[in-house]
Amino acid sequence: MSRRWIQNPNKCADEYLDGIEDFIEFAHRHNPGATRIRCPCRRCNNTLFETIENVGFHLVRNGMIETYSIWNLHGEQVDHASSSNAPRVDNVEPIVDPNDQVMGIIQDAFPFASTNINQEGEDDVPTPIDSAEFEQYEKLLKNANQELYPGCESFSVLTAIVELMHGEIKYHMSNLCFDYFLGVFKRMLLTDNCLPKDHKHVQKVLHGLGLGYEKIHACKNNCMLFYKEHETLDTCPICNESRFKMTSQNRTTKIPQKVMRYLPLKPRLQRLYMSMHTTTDMRWHKEKRVDDDVMRHPADGEAWKEFD
């Protein structure tokens, strides 16, 4: 049975979804009565056990380990005569240069800016770009090309920041903990390194990537949000609780009792459609509908696509 579907980057393709169904059926057949099996998705890496239903969900969301073409951990018999040539099944995801990943993130965030630079000298008219947006792009590009310290080839400033922030989120580090280790790393490196000194300066560098959040003050007792028509209020009209904490009179800024962090949906949907890594998945339903219509009406398929 061909398992080329494992290499398919489009996890919404019919070939890939049919392959997942084949794997789930295989796992049911070779693990009778088992409530949990190893999950071969790229995140669990055959080290975590999940229900068979959750395994199917993980494979759609994360994809299967690309080297796991022989399902020996799920009951498939291995031909020992050729096992020396078989790929290892316990490998992690393919190693990708982190600097290339960061450059991909910048291109996803500023597709028009990167396109204009690539088209410089060509006959095509470049897409107009907002000057502030292009300034952000240039700052990120500078940090992406700047060495972390003189002679460092493995990490740029932006690559190091992205890696550290990924670790903070993955392992649920507090900002104080992040600041401590960031200070330790900065002292470990050469004295003329360009690593930011704290979390606040890291956020300033990453601000240009967008996809931030809005801070909205909330009532301490969760009665309401100080938002829109209630934005100027200092007390909750429901429970009369103060919006701000009691602080010294000499303090110039007020500290809210509770803050809700709102992630706007629109820019995130725009980023999913802008990114070359996710735009195929976002358009698969429309493109599949076009293909199905062409198959049903091959004579007027091209005319339908032009109209659409």
Side-chain angles (χ1 to χ4, degrees):
M1 179 173 54
S2 174
R3 292 173 183 168
R4 291 184 301 176
W5 60 270
I6 298 176
Q7 310 293 332
N8 192 334
N10 183 7
K11 297 188 288 294
C12 296
D14 291 339
E15 177 194 30
Y16 191 88
L17 297 177
D18 292 342
I20 290 177
E21 291 184 3
D22 291 339
F23 173 79
I24 295 299
E25 181 182 351
F26 179 91
H28 268 297
R29 188 168 64 252
H30 288 79
N31 298 271
T35 58
R36 293 177 177 271
I37 61 172
R38 293 179 182 270
C39 180
C41 80
R42 287 185 290 180
R43 185 178 294 272
C44 297
N45 198 37
N46 269 328
T47 59
L48 301 180
F49 287 79
E50 295 284 350
T51 63
I52 295 181
E53 292 76 12
N54 283 345
V55 167
F57 174 73
H58 281 202
L59 292 177
V60 173
R61 184 180 63 182
N62 305 322
M64 181 178 282
I65 305 171
E66 295 181 355
T67 57
Y68 192 42
S69 57
I70 301 176
W71 298 337
N72 61 315
L73 296 181
H74 294 83
E76 185 172 9
Q77 297 297 321
V78 180
D79 184 2
H80 294 284
S82 60
S83 61
S84 59
N85 297 324
R88 293 174 59 90
V89 300
D90 56 345
N91 288 341
V92 296
E93 295 184 52
I95 297 176
V96 181
D97 187 350
N99 293 311
D100 291 340
Q101 286 183 322
V102 167
M103 292 302 298
I105 294 173
I106 295 177
Q107 291 173 2
D108 288 342
F110 301 94
F112 301 120
S114 56
T115 300
N116 281 17
I117 290 178
N118 293 333
Q119 289 180 345
E120 187 175 355
E122 298 182 5
D123 296 334
D124 295 339
V125 178
T127 306
I129 313 171
D130 180 75
S131 58
E133 183 180 0
F134 191 74
E135 184 179 351
Q136 291 285 359
Y137 171 76
E138 286 186 319
K139 288 181 180 179
L140 288 169
L141 198 61
K142 178 182 177 182
N143 287 320
N145 292 323
Q146 184 178 13
E147 295 177 341
L148 184 60
Y149 55 84
C152 179
E153 299 180 355
S154 302
F155 287 93
S156 68
V157 175
L158 189 58
T159 304
I161 289 175
V162 170
E163 290 277 357
L164 291 171
M165 288 296 290
H166 176 71
E168 180 196 25
I169 296 170
K170 184 176 181 179
Y171 297 107
H172 309 288
M173 296 171 60
S174 67
N175 290 348
L176 288 176
C177 180
F178 182 86
D179 284 347
Y180 171 77
F181 282 107
L182 191 65
V184 172
F185 294 151
K186 191 169 180 64
R187 293 196 301 272
M188 287 179 177
L189 298 175
L190 299 178
T191 54
D192 51 352
N193 69 81
C194 301
L195 192 67
K197 63 180 182 180
D198 55 28
H199 190 272
K200 183 177 181 180
H201 285 79
V202 167
Q203 287 185 317
K204 286 183 178 180
V205 175
L206 296 180
H207 177 73
L209 289 175
L211 297 186
Y213 55 83
E214 298 179 16
K215 292 183 178 180
I216 302 176
H217 296 178
C219 172
K220 179 181 178 181
N221 299 318
N222 301 321
C223 300
M224 55 162 288
L225 297 175
F226 294 96
Y227 186 60
K228 292 186 176 180
E229 66 272 15
H230 304 303
E231 189 173 2
T232 59
L233 298 180
D234 289 337
T235 57
C236 174
I238 299 175
C239 66
N240 294 322
E241 186 70 38
S242 175
R243 174 178 178 173
F244 301 102
K245 296 180 180 179
M246 296 293 296
T247 57
S248 171
Q249 294 181 353
N250 296 328
R251 187 181 181 92
T252 57
T253 58
K254 297 180 180 180
I255 303 176
Q257 297 263 26
K258 183 174 289 188
V259 176
M260 184 192 77
R261 289 166 175 82
Y262 167 62
L263 306 176
L265 177 62
K266 184 178 178 179
R268 280 160 174 76
L269 289 176
Q270 289 175 335
R271 181 66 61 83
L272 288 172
Y273 279 102
M274 289 163 56
S275 172
M276 64 179 180
H277 303 292
T278 54
T279 184
T280 302
D281 293 340
M282 297 298 293
R283 290 177 54 84
W284 77 270
H285 186 270
K286 175 179 174 61
E287 292 173 355
K288 184 176 184 300
R289 180 168 63 88
V290 171
D291 293 339
D292 291 345
D293 191 86
V294 171
M295 293 179 64
R296 289 194 300 268
H297 309 287
D300 58 349
E302 293 298 323
W304 186 91
K305 285 196 288 185
E306 291 179 2
F307 176 80
D308 186 69

